[in-house]
Amino acid sequence: MLDVWNITSRHRDQVMMICCLITVLSGLLTFVQSVGPSCDCLHFVDTYGKEYGVFTSPDWPAPYERNIYCLLYNFLAKEDKIIEITFDEFDLQRTNNVACIYGDYVKLFLHIDRPYVNDRTTANRIMCGKIADIEGTYYSSSSNLIFEFHTDWKNTSSLGFRGTFRFLDKKMFKNDGIRLPESKCDYLFESFQQTDSSNTSSPVTQVTRGRFFSPLYPSIYPKGSKCTYTFIGQPNERIKLTFEHIRLQRSDTSCLTSPDVIYVHDGSNESYPLIGLLCNTNTFVELVSTGPELYINFQSRSHAQGQGFKGRFLFESGPTSSTNHLEIPSTEPEKTEEGMTVDSRSSTESPTCSYSFDSDITKNGSFGTPNYPEPYPSNIFCKYQLNGRGKERVQILFTDFSVHKPANTPKNCEGADAVMVFITINGRRERLDNFCGDELPQQLMSNGPSMTIEFRSHQNTEMKRGFRAEFRFVTNFGISTGVQNQRWVCGFNFSSDKSIHGSFSSPNYPGRYPRDTECHYFFHGKESEKVHITFAYFDIEGVFPCDHDSASDYIEFSNFRTIDRKMDRKCSAKKPAKPIVSDGNFFRVTFKSNDRFDGTGFEAYYHFNDNDSLTYKKVQLVSASEIMSSSLRFIFYLGIELVLLNL
């Protein structure tokens, strides 16, 4: 077969003939209709025994020609295949700073069911600029994919593009559920029971697992997609979901304001509590239901759709123990105490003592070093696994800490006896921190339903007593004020009908806030009221302008339920100098952390006021408030408000 993957200008006149010839030789016997009467085309129907085929712009790696009205790259696969194309190099002159509708561009047609396009066919992507400006890899939704290359008359030194293509089996992206009648993308996934063939008298529940995808995945999902995924397990089962890949938008906006969102409910429909709210881009997000049912609702309202998502599900049996009392573990590696189950698994080595705490058995308890409060043994390795469900987060409070730390030990506790805390980030086990010495660690919180703590000792020559810690599985993210809003994973309402003043804080305050977390605080006043917010403490990891490019966590304010363009985000350790005042009777504060760093968050005070002339000027003049305790500051602010109300 002829190789036409790399063409030069002197071959341009022969392209149309070559395309037709390849079509006949390949046995496809299809007619290729161009976008316009002067469009040329290239066919790619085989990789000739290699894993990948190659395509390039004309004259690559020299600069491409000018005045290419329309050159079509037509990829044809068998009916049971889809096409993947990847741009390894991409350099097209950008004429328009915002869009690529003028000048030099590549126009992608990913959702076509026939091997041709015309001037009425809608393109899925129009691309120009550099390789950093595009996604890189794209997929067809059928066995056909076409892209158009166009250049204008302006001189350029841009080199064009070089890429690879391959053909993939469609069955790799098939939902392992039943599509509901008269629906495009609503699926039902059910667990089932079978009888063990070797023991017909003993029916056993088969552990059911599989995959689920956004519509047309791995291609771009259609505009206006509304899809549901319902999981129904056996009474003793729960559902574990792992979103391996999420590509909805390339943005760091809040999921509250994002047009494309994945809602995960802890039950069979959207009336149940929300335990997952996913948007933008992410990888390996894990969610676990509290019972045998789970419901996903995917909605797209954006004008520029993403690739979508792929995930795995598992129906797994829950624990059978009904006890709820936990004791501090001993040095006996195989001992099972009341409310604890021995976990002999370890990702690195076999622990000396290893225990698993499950929220189905107890919502709180304590653990510590072997023999506590007596000195712990040398040369031991203990592992404590804490597993929650639904929207639960693991909260750890160390009540005593005294661990051997030699002189000149570095900050990461290398060479010392140490407590190591791990969470899961992007599917990988990430170390949250190491702790050693005699300083009590800050209160900690997991970013998901689970957390792992390990303790390793070398030589306890100082006969240290070790540590004791309390744990809780919480659904309120450690936020004790306001009324929790079940429409959001982490949302709280503050209404002047209930209280005209009060406080609110970041999750897990005064400890470190969890990573990969988004919380919303909604303030609802009477018609003539405004809310005044003053920050008493502020430590949000990041630098201005507090966005994705600066890898910043942030706080965002809005007078609307959507984005308020006139209000800047806030981050860093510098708190807002002035009180923040709403424009009307509704106000929203959003806290969002990423997966990289963490801080100790914020504490703030609010007050609803129906007199615009009353402000917090008096508070701003008192510099001594900076050193006041949290409780004294609250009394101080409250006293000022009472004075103002009596004016």
Side-chain angles (χ1 to χ4, degrees), residues 80-181:
D80 60 345
K81 305 286 186 180
I82 61 172
I83 300 120
E84 174 195 79
I85 62 171
T86 299
F87 290 92
D88 301 312
E89 304 286 346
F90 194 88
D91 179 22
L92 299 188
Q93 179 175 255
R94 180 188 286 271
T95 302
N96 188 301
N97 288 331
V98 178
C100 300
I101 57 177
Y102 305 108
D104 303 346
Y105 58 78
V106 164
K107 186 181 292 187
L108 277 172
F109 301 92
L110 304 175
H111 298 170
I112 52 176
D113 55 6
R114 298 180 181 180
Y116 62 80
V117 294
N118 55 40
D119 56 2
R120 296 182 300 276
T121 307
T122 302
N124 300 103
R125 286 287 189 273
I126 303 177
M127 309 182 301
C128 61
K130 303 293 186 181
I131 187 69
D133 299 322
I134 67 173
E135 289 289 343
T137 300
Y138 300 89
Y139 300 85
S140 68
S141 60
S142 68
S143 56
N144 305 285
L145 186 152
I146 294 175
F147 71 79
E148 174 192 349
F149 180 42
H150 173 90
T151 68
D152 66 8
W153 52 271
K154 297 178 182 178
N155 290 327
T156 180
S157 59
S158 298
L159 302 180
F161 53 82
R162 179 189 184 278
T164 59
F165 70 93
R166 62 175 178 163
F167 305 117
L168 305 176
D169 288 334
K170 283 184 180 180
K171 62 183 179 181
M172 294 170 55
F173 310 103
K174 180 182 177 182
N175 281 286
D176 291 323
I178 301 173
R179 192 174 72 180
L180 299 181

Side-chain angles (χ1 to χ4, degrees), residues 428-530:
R428 301 185 305 271
R429 194 174 85 145
E430 295 283 347
R431 192 188 304 262
L432 190 62
D433 209 340
N434 293 344
F435 302 103
C436 56
D438 295 308
E439 183 177 351
L440 200 65
Q442 290 179 307
Q443 184 172 275
L444 302 174
M445 180 172 284
S446 65
N447 64 316
S450 63
M451 176 184 283
T452 303
I453 297 174
E454 295 179 357
F455 173 68
R456 188 183 301 273
S457 72
H458 300 287
Q459 296 295 326
N460 188 10
T461 56
E462 298 177 319
M463 301 300 290
K464 295 284 187 177
R465 62 184 178 275
F467 73 87
R468 180 183 183 276
E470 296 178 352
F471 70 86
R472 293 194 302 161
F473 293 101
V474 298
T475 58
N476 67 352
F477 291 79
I479 300 172
S480 58
T481 60
V483 178
Q484 194 159 9
N485 187 332
Q486 296 299 330
R487 290 184 56 197
W488 307 101
V489 178
C490 180
F492 296 85
N493 292 334
F494 299 85
S495 173
S496 64
D497 289 338
K498 295 185 178 296
S499 178
I500 62 169
H501 52 74
S503 66
F504 65 102
S505 65
S506 54
N508 197 46
Y509 184 83
R512 297 187 195 177
Y513 55 73
R515 299 181 189 178
D516 259 344
T517 297
E518 180 176 307
C519 289
H520 307 284
Y521 310 82
F522 304 99
F523 296 86
H524 302 270
K526 296 182 177 67
E527 184 176 355
S528 61
E529 290 180 333
K530 295 182 179 180

Side-chain angles (χ1 to χ4, degrees), residues 313-370:
F313 67 88
L314 170 68
F315 292 99
E316 60 179 8
S317 298
T320 57
S321 175
S322 59
T323 55
N324 59 6
H325 180 65
L326 290 171
E327 300 289 346
I328 296 172
S330 73
T331 56
E332 297 293 331
E334 295 299 326
K335 184 177 180 180
T336 302
E337 299 187 10
E338 202 174 17
M340 288 191 300
T341 56
V342 174
D343 180 6
S344 60
R345 299 168 296 173
S346 175
S347 59
T348 55
E349 60 182 286
S350 297
T352 306
C353 54
S354 184
Y355 300 90
S356 178
F357 304 88
D358 199 298
S359 71
D360 286 347
I361 299 174
T362 186
K363 298 300 182 184
N364 55 76
S366 63
F367 61 93
T369 46

Side-chain angles (χ1 to χ4, degrees), residues 1 6 75 104 171 201 279 399 472 528 562:
M1 188 170 293
N6 192 327
F75 299 84
D104 303 346
K171 62 183 179 181
S201 63
C279 63
T399 58
R472 293 194 302 161
S528 61
T562 55

Side-chain angles (χ1 to χ4, degrees), residues 192-212:
F192 57 90
Q193 287 189 335
Q194 286 186 344
T195 301
D196 187 348
S197 59
S198 62
N199 186 359
T200 57
S201 63
S202 177
V204 295
T205 300
Q206 301 295 305
V207 177
T208 305
R209 64 183 70 211
R211 310 194 70 176
F212 61 96

Side-chain angles (χ1 to χ4, degrees), residues 8 23 36 58 179 190 206 257 391 423 436 464 540 586 635:
T8 61
T23 301
R179 192 174 72 180
E190 290 187 283
Q206 301 295 305
T257 58
K391 67 166 66 176
I423 57 176
C436 56
K464 295 284 187 177
I540 308 298
F586 173 81
I635 296 172

Side-chain angles (χ1 to χ4, degrees), residues 404-429:
H404 175 60
K405 177 184 177 182
N408 301 320
T409 297
K411 289 185 178 180
N412 64 359
C413 298
E414 183 178 357
D417 297 350
V419 174
M420 299 158 284
V421 181
F422 297 91
I423 57 176
T424 301
I425 296 287
N426 295 332
R428 301 185 305 271
R429 194 174 85 145

